[in-house]
Amino acid sequence: MLSSLFARRPAASDPALFWTPPGTTVVQRYRNTLGPLEGAVALVYTSADDRSSSYAAACLGCTYRAARNDRRARLGEAEAADLANAHAAHCRAIHRGLPPIPDDDTAAQIVLSRLRNMRPYGPSPYAVHLTDFLEDRVDLQRDDDLIKQAMFEIARTDSAFLKTAPAYSGSTGTRFLLQPPPPRK
């Protein structure tokens, strides 16, 4: 009787091992070696709507995010996998579970924060691309439509910061131009 009370049961499958943030396509997952239920999961992913070869790595246990290498070039799948694997091997974060989905206002603030970090210091504007938000996809948990909607709202309310322009000739749509800060007097 006592043996049935203390019998070991198989551990439930960790949902983080199979979780895919909305708006992304996860191609690889790495887990650190703290233990079956303790270690954090590092993801290698790309945008679900993006057909380029840009990838990112993110840890679900800590704040590690990477979408560019030390030369500021976008990551390919192999390079993102190397970064995720190296991070998973050294990360000692406790497993936090799946990140909560932010509300629309918080997601818009994440978009605005990324735009502020990308603001150019030279005299010419910077063309914003959806791949610039690849690093934030795990935190945003949204598709391209929310990012575009947030940028349209920012451009409408603060045109000195972000402007819209017609897409290049031959294509339809809108492009976003991040404006440099005004000159100091």
Side-chain angles (χ1 to χ4, degrees):
M1 181 72 169
L2 278 177
S3 63
S4 65
L5 288 176
F6 297 104
R8 295 184 186 258
R9 296 186 178 149
S13 178
D14 185 2
L17 290 175
F18 306 104
W19 178 70
T20 298
T24 67
T25 301
V26 176
V27 294
Q28 295 180 42
R29 292 173 171 83
Y30 296 91
R31 182 166 210 147
N32 60 10
T33 58
L34 286 179
L37 295 177
E38 297 174 353
V41 175
L43 304 175
V44 176
Y45 61 94
T46 188
S47 169
D49 298 329
D50 189 16
R51 289 168 182 76
S52 72
S53 59
S54 296
Y55 290 84
C59 181
L60 298 181
C62 67
T63 59
Y64 176 76
R65 307 286 186 263
R68 294 180 182 267
N69 61 19
D70 54 356
R71 296 177 311 278
R72 305 293 304 149
R74 290 191 174 112
L75 298 175
E77 183 178 357
E79 194 171 14
D82 289 343
L83 289 174
N85 191 19
H87 177 78
H90 294 97
C91 181
R92 295 296 174 232
I94 301 289
H95 180 56
R96 302 186 299 180
L98 300 178
I101 296 176
D103 59 23
D104 288 345
D105 292 336
T106 305
Q109 287 299 320
I110 293 171
V111 171
L112 179 60
S113 175
R114 173 61 53 197
L115 290 172
R116 285 183 179 148
N117 289 339
M118 293 184 326
R119 193 167 196 182
Y121 290 104
S124 57
Y126 173 78
V128 179
H129 304 281
L130 290 173
T131 54
D132 292 327
F133 296 93
L134 196 56
E135 190 173 334
D136 300 310
R137 292 292 184 143
V138 170
D139 299 320
L140 281 172
Q141 299 185 42
R142 299 294 204 299
D143 59 1
D144 291 345
D145 293 337
L146 177 113
I147 296 171
K148 290 177 193 174
Q149 180 184 1
M151 287 196 296
F152 274 119
E153 184 61 26
I154 293 167
R156 186 185 68 75
T157 59
D158 191 2
S159 62
F161 178 67
L162 184 67
K163 289 188 179 183
T164 59
Y168 296 109
S169 62
S171 64
T172 60
T174 304
R175 59 188 172 122
F176 296 94
L177 300 170
L178 197 54
Q179 302 301 305
R184 293 184 180 177
K185 294 181 181 182

